[in-house]
Amino acid sequence: MLADPRSILKSVFGYDSFRGRQRDIIEHVTSGHHAFVLMPTGGGKSLCYQIPALVRPGIGLVISPLIALMEDQVAALRQAGVKAAALNSRLWGAEKDLLWRDIAESELDLLYMAPETLLKGENLDRLKSAQLSLIAIDEAHCVSQWGHDFRPEYRALSCLADLFPRVPRIALTATADAPTRAEIVEHLNIGAQNSFISGFDRPNIRYGVAEKTSTMQQMLRFLEPRKGESGIVYCLSKRKTEDIAATLNAHGFTALPYHAGMEMKAREANQRRFQHEQGLIMVATIAFGMGIDKPDVRFVLHADLPASVEAFYQETGRAGRDGLPAETLMLYGAEDIALRRRFIDESEASDARKRT
């Protein structure tokens, strides 16, 4: 591989110039320093670890939360001529042995793993003898106990600092308030001086908010002019996703449900359809969306009040990643506010956190 970040940017990824703070971050990590990166959705976070992984000797280890997302990223990288692979629960037998051989012989540029897979003792032992160029922790807000996407397995990634002391760690997220940022930096032992914080502004997204009067009618009024466009409708309950998807299909839209109560195969089939088909609406609970990298999502509609400002930003941020205009609408009512207050009161957070 070429050793110059700028030429890699052009020859591998097809871009003429860096955006925002990409160049600073890439130079920082390439020099062997840790980094915490907060960058808006669609701001080009992945290049901040992909390019240093191609510049530095060894394999870039990327920790990512979802198998479907990993596989999409690996496919895109391979298409660009990058030697990338994913080690996950779907890999068995000879295929898995072959991948481990490639890892041992540094035949890869980037290796994607879920935290659950990485943290298995045998996998950590084998990686200790591999040459790693960096460790990227994507969707790093999952580390935070009070983040909206907390995952206990992410919490256990604090062991990486001890196991791979000389390998630079880069933690990336699009959404983290100040306490969450501090928690990530401290927990992953990155050092506050290594933080790169970009603004949250997404000027191509138009935000709309309305009080609920007749939810379904309001939704249909918003969606009717957008027939044939891809979008996401977020709901609070599994049942509501099914009901709304059925109603939208009856009104001539193509809508699919997505929630944690569905079988994994059905969920993944719906996610794949959404990723690759045009004009499809995903009606989902918050189980859907982390790391979704579909550039042409033209709208996000909240049928219920989101959990927090950070959750709202993360969910609406899935719109307009191609930089073209996108719209959002959030519907809220007194019931939503009462329900959210109950969730907060019943949570195990400290009183100070509950007030926040």
Side-chain angles (χ1 to χ4, degrees):
M1 267 295 172
L2 301 157
D4 173 45
R6 184 72 185 266
S7 48
I8 289 175
L9 181 74
K10 177 69 177 163
S11 63
V12 177
F13 299 101
Y15 298 111
D16 291 320
S17 57
F18 290 109
R19 278 194 289 166
R21 302 196 68 186
Q22 279 178 332
R23 181 199 288 277
D24 297 342
I25 297 162
I26 288 165
E27 286 174 358
H28 185 80
V29 176
T30 301
S31 304
H33 302 296
H34 307 308
F36 169 72
V37 175
L38 177 72
M39 199 179 266
T41 315
K45 285 188 297 296
S46 52
L47 291 182
C48 294
Y49 60 81
Q50 288 170 345
I51 291 179
L54 295 178
V55 174
R56 289 172 59 81
I59 299 167
L61 172 64
V62 184
I63 299 158
S64 178
L66 296 174
I67 288 177
L69 170 64
M70 272 187 247
E71 290 178 344
D72 283 347
Q73 291 211 344
V74 166
L77 285 164
R78 283 181 176 168
Q79 216 167 357
V82 176
K83 289 180 282 186
L87 179 63
N88 56 43
S89 52
R90 291 182 182 168
L91 213 58
W92 286 99
E95 258 190 309
K96 194 173 177 180
D97 294 340
L98 204 60
L99 179 54
W100 275 118
R101 198 189 70 193
D102 285 347
I103 293 166
E105 294 174 4
S106 281
E107 287 294 317
L108 285 177
D109 298 315
L110 284 151
L111 172 66
Y112 284 75
M113 292 174 94
E116 300 87 335
T117 309
L118 170 70
L119 292 165
K120 286 181 181 157
E122 57 189 298
N123 293 341
L124 280 173
D125 286 342
R126 293 179 86 161
L127 283 171
K128 271 191 257 180
S129 54
Q131 185 185 15
L132 297 182
S133 58
L134 57 82
I135 300 172
I137 299 115
D138 204 7
E139 308 291 353
H141 55 273
C142 296
V143 166
S144 170
Q145 211 134 15
W146 307 121
H148 58 279
D149 279 322
F150 172 59
R151 287 171 62 138
E153 310 81 22
Y154 262 73
R155 201 83 188 147
L157 296 176
S158 55
C159 68
L160 296 174
D162 293 330
L163 292 173
F164 305 97
R166 285 184 291 281
V167 180
R169 294 180 300 285
I170 174 170
L172 309 100
T173 178
T175 168
D177 58 11
T180 304
R181 296 201 292 268
E183 192 177 351
I184 294 165
V185 166
E186 184 186 357
H187 198 76
L188 296 175
N189 199 1
I190 280 170
Q193 73 281 8
N194 295 313
S195 294
F196 294 84
I197 314 294
S198 301
F200 289 95
D201 188 25
R202 295 284 306 283
N204 61 313
I205 300 180
R206 182 174 180 270
Y207 292 89
V209 179
E211 195 166 352
K212 289 179 183 176
T213 49
S214 53
T215 309
M216 204 61 231
Q217 290 310 310
Q218 286 171 289
M219 288 173 63
L220 288 170
R221 273 201 304 276
F222 176 82
L223 294 171
E224 201 58 51
R226 295 171 176 82
K227 260 196 178 143
E229 294 180 352
S230 300
I232 305 169
V233 175
Y234 279 110
C235 316
L236 200 53
S237 71
K238 299 169 191 174
R239 184 177 168 185
K240 200 165 176 180
T241 64
E242 304 272 357
D243 292 348
I244 289 176
T247 305
L248 292 180
N249 285 317
H251 280 83
F253 296 91
T254 308
L256 299 173
Y258 187 106
H259 57 75
M262 292 167 66
E263 280 189 7
M264 191 186 279
K265 273 189 177 159
R267 269 208 321 262
E268 288 187 355
N270 283 4
Q271 178 163 331
R272 211 159 282 288
R273 276 191 68 187
F274 179 74
Q275 197 81 31
H276 300 293
E277 287 182 31
Q278 299 299 310
L280 204 142
I281 299 175
M282 189 67 95
V283 186
T285 60
I286 56 164
F288 175 75
M290 193 192 294
I292 286 300
D293 198 15
K294 184 176 171 67
D296 60 343
V297 174
R298 294 273 67 88
F299 61 84
V300 172
L301 195 165
H302 280 90
D304 300 297
L305 193 68
S308 65
V309 173
E310 286 75 40
F312 173 68
Y313 177 78
Q314 172 101 356
E315 289 150 21
T316 53
R318 286 160 192 148
R321 285 182 155 200
D322 52 9
L324 298 174
E327 297 234 11
T328 75
L329 174 63
M330 180 180 81
L331 299 174
Y332 72 94
E335 274 180 29
D336 291 321
I337 294 164
L339 189 62
R340 286 296 177 196
R341 184 171 289 278
R342 202 182 82 219
F343 285 170
I344 292 166
D345 290 341
E346 290 173 2
S347 80
E348 293 171 15
S350 64
D351 287 344
R353 184 78 199 186
K354 285 179 181 180
R355 278 197 298 278
T356 303

